[in-house]
Amino acid sequence: KQEVTQIPAALSVPEGENLVLNCSFTDSAIYNLQWFRQDPGKGLTSLLLIQSSQREQTSGRLNASLDKSSGRSTLYIAASQPGDSATYLCAVKPRIYSGNTPLVFGKGTRLSVIA
Amino acid sequence: DGGITQSPKYLFRKEGQNVTLSCEQNLNHDAMYWYRQDPGQGLRLIYYSQIVNDFQKGDIAEGYSVSREKKESFPLTVTSAQKNPTAFYLCASIGRVGPDGELFFGEGSRLTVL
């Protein structure tokens, strides 16, 4: 059964620092991996989607990489700002059968950027 | 604007009552999902539907029911059989037919049992 782990569970950094959030998954048979942001009491906002054939995706100050063979993904945030404070979740879509297989989520990393 | 609308945002229920959470999307998405989120436990899948008039149980379906009579709508009923229903409920839909679509979420509904 696919499992997704995010370490650390919480992270606090000073403003301006570049940082990396980690995501690992146990089964490399995936269609894609998606990174989300969640603010307290809100829904999840999609940040980046990486297909299994891709190595990375970039959006603004965010860069996500995927190493499917080792079961790892990283989310790099450049020049962090207090507005980046949120919980970041990663999720993989298992390659079980065709169709819209439900994603498997990690528990998230809670990021605090201190001004 | 296109998106996923969940209502109500906050809901209070007495023990023994059934409640229904609404989820409506105008994105023309085929697949829709219901997740439950509890502190420290991450997201857990309740039910999902890949097409109208079809749905499958997720990991924690006991005490919940759904219907999918229209493509746009996927309501979730929390029944009195659900022993611990206080949680944050999230509805999602996926952007294209096939395995590589992007998942989008609504803003969530917080249910509290009094």
Side-chain angles (χ1 to χ4, degrees), chain B residues 68-102:
Chain B
R68 187 84 188 278
E69 298 176 0
K70 299 186 299 181
K71 187 175 185 178
E72 302 80 16
S73 179
F74 190 39
L76 174 73
T77 297
V78 184
T79 75
S80 56
Q82 169 51 234
K83 299 305 179 189
N84 185 21
T86 294
F88 190 51
Y89 291 88
L90 289 158
C91 178
S93 67
I94 205 152
R96 40 189 282 193
V97 176
D100 54 353
E102 185 174 5

Side-chain angles (χ1 to χ4, degrees), chain A residues 8-102:
Chain A
L11 180 64
S12 184
V13 301
E15 181 178 6
E17 190 165 298
N18 300 328
L19 60 100
V20 174
L21 305 181
N22 296 298
C23 172
S24 62
F25 47 96
T26 55
D27 189 339
S28 62
I30 62 170
Y31 283 118
N32 57 44
L33 182 144
Q34 199 168 346
W35 281 94
F36 297 88
R37 169 186 173 137
Q38 186 178 30
D39 293 292
K42 301 290 187 180
L44 278 68
T45 299
S46 178
L47 297 174
L48 291 164
L49 172 68
I50 310 177
Q51 302 297 345
S52 62
S53 59
Q54 297 174 325
R55 298 284 294 184
E56 65 177 340
Q57 283 285 343
T58 298
S59 175
R61 293 183 294 110
L62 305 180
N63 175 278
S65 68
L66 175 63
D67 184 343
K68 202 172 59 167
S69 61
S70 67
R72 294 182 196 172
S73 175
T74 61
L75 179 66
Y76 175 83
I77 303 177
S80 59
Q81 304 169 359
D84 294 330
S85 298
T87 297
Y88 291 81
L89 297 94
C90 73
V92 298
K93 191 169 194 181
R95 188 183 291 271
I96 298 176
Y97 52 85
S98 62
N100 280 312
T101 312

